[in-house]
């Protein structure tokens, strides 16, 4: 649960449907951005805007961690298509093309969400969130279903399955994201597609 206490006139943008409760003094309005990108990406381009004074309680639609990321105005953060929960007024969110190859195989669509500006971005996860900071030139391979947010450069590649720790059955036929530092990566401990498959198998037929 994310608790935000807003001063008079202060705004916070949040994922639609994430409000749990709020003070009666808080004003809420909806904002929807329609564009061709939404048709291709299939992501959420609408947001609810809360204006203080008062407290707002927000929560993700699934169980998992909520982590604040402080943006300094210089660093651009990229986020997974379901990672956004809320952001303070100084944060600008938009979608940028990541190319056909990355779009088809990274699991994030042809457009990836970017956050910039000054303020706090709150990201959500399924399960716990784990942070890894990469040194310059250091590489790290991540299954795309576990991505939450990152600042590193990355490319999508096929990893060979042959007795190693990673196998094709766990990496979307061997496709993973190879990140190169410097930068920070947040990952989640649960893969949505794997979790859905597990729930489906456990349900009575």
């Amino acid at each position: 649960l994310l608790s935000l206490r807003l001063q008079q006139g202060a705004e916070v943008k949040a994922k639609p449907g994430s409000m749990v409760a709020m003070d009666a003094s808080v004003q809420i309005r909806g904002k929807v951005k329609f564009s061709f990108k939404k048709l291709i990406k299939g992501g959420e381009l609408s947001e609810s805007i809360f204006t203080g004074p008062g407290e707002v309680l927000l929560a993700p639609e699934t169980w998992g961690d909520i982590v604040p990321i402080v943006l300094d105005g210089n660093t651009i953060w990229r986020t997974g298509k379901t990672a956004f929960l809320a952001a303070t007024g100084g944060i600008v969110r938009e979608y940028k093309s990541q190319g056909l190859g990355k779009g088809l195989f990274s699991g994030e669509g042809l457009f990836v969400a970017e956050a910039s500006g000054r303020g706090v971005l709150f990201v959500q996860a399924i399960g716990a969130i784990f942070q890894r900071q990469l040194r310059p030139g250091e590489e790290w391979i991540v299954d795309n279903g576990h991505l939450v947010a990152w600042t590193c450069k990355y490319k999508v590649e096929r990893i060979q399955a042959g007795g190693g720790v990673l196998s094709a059955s766990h990496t979307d036929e061997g496709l993973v994201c190879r990140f190169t530092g410097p930068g920070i990566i947040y990952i989640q401990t649960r893969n949505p597609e794997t979790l859905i498959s597990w729930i489906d198998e456990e349900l009575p037929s």
Side-chain angles (χ1 to χ4, degrees):
L1 186 70
L2 175 62
S3 173
L4 299 172
R5 187 166 295 279
L6 305 179
Q7 297 181 353
Q8 177 72 44
E11 289 188 347
V12 63
K13 297 168 281 190
K15 176 180 289 188
S18 62
M19 188 200 78
V20 176
M22 67 180 187
D23 287 330
S25 56
V26 175
Q27 301 295 314
I28 181 174
R29 68 182 190 275
K31 182 178 181 182
V32 180
K33 307 172 186 176
F34 292 101
S35 75
F36 180 66
K37 294 180 182 180
K38 183 173 182 179
L39 298 178
I40 298 178
K41 180 181 179 297
E44 183 59 74
L45 285 172
S46 60
E47 55 192 22
S48 299
I49 301 176
F50 299 87
T51 305
E55 183 182 31
V56 179
L57 300 180
L58 305 172
E61 59 269 51
T62 57
W63 54 96
D65 284 352
I66 301 171
V67 170
I69 299 176
V70 179
L71 275 68
D72 58 7
N74 299 316
T75 303
I76 296 177
W77 281 84
R78 294 173 175 84
T79 61
K81 59 185 176 183
T82 61
F84 172 75
L85 178 61
T88 56
I91 301 296
V92 177
R93 294 175 59 238
E94 55 187 349
Y95 288 105
K96 296 290 187 179
S97 173
Q98 60 171 347
L100 181 60
K102 284 185 178 179
L104 292 177
F105 301 119
S106 69
E108 300 301 332
L110 295 180
F111 294 85
V112 65
E114 290 189 353
S116 59
R118 290 183 179 271
V120 183
L121 171 70
F122 297 92
V123 293
Q124 64 182 38
I126 299 178
I129 288 182
F130 177 81
Q131 176 188 330
R132 179 71 175 267
Q133 185 156 1
L134 300 186
R135 300 182 300 273
E138 182 181 4
E139 295 184 336
W140 205 38
I141 295 174
V142 180
D143 184 299
N144 55 17
H146 292 269
L147 289 174
V148 176
W150 63 93
T151 62
C152 304
K153 295 181 179 180
Y154 75 103
K155 61 181 179 179
V156 179
E157 63 183 41
R158 185 178 298 277
I159 191 168
Q160 294 299 323
V165 176
L166 293 175
S167 66
S169 62
H170 291 87
T171 56
D172 291 335
E173 298 183 350
L175 292 170
V176 295
C177 294
R178 181 184 292 269
F179 290 88
T180 302
I184 302 173
I185 308 170
Y186 284 94
I187 62 173
Q188 59 189 11
T189 57
R190 299 292 178 266
N191 183 319
E193 292 186 2
T194 303
L195 178 61
I196 291 172
S197 297
W198 178 83
I199 293 174
D200 184 60
E201 291 175 358
E202 295 297 317
L203 291 175
S205 57

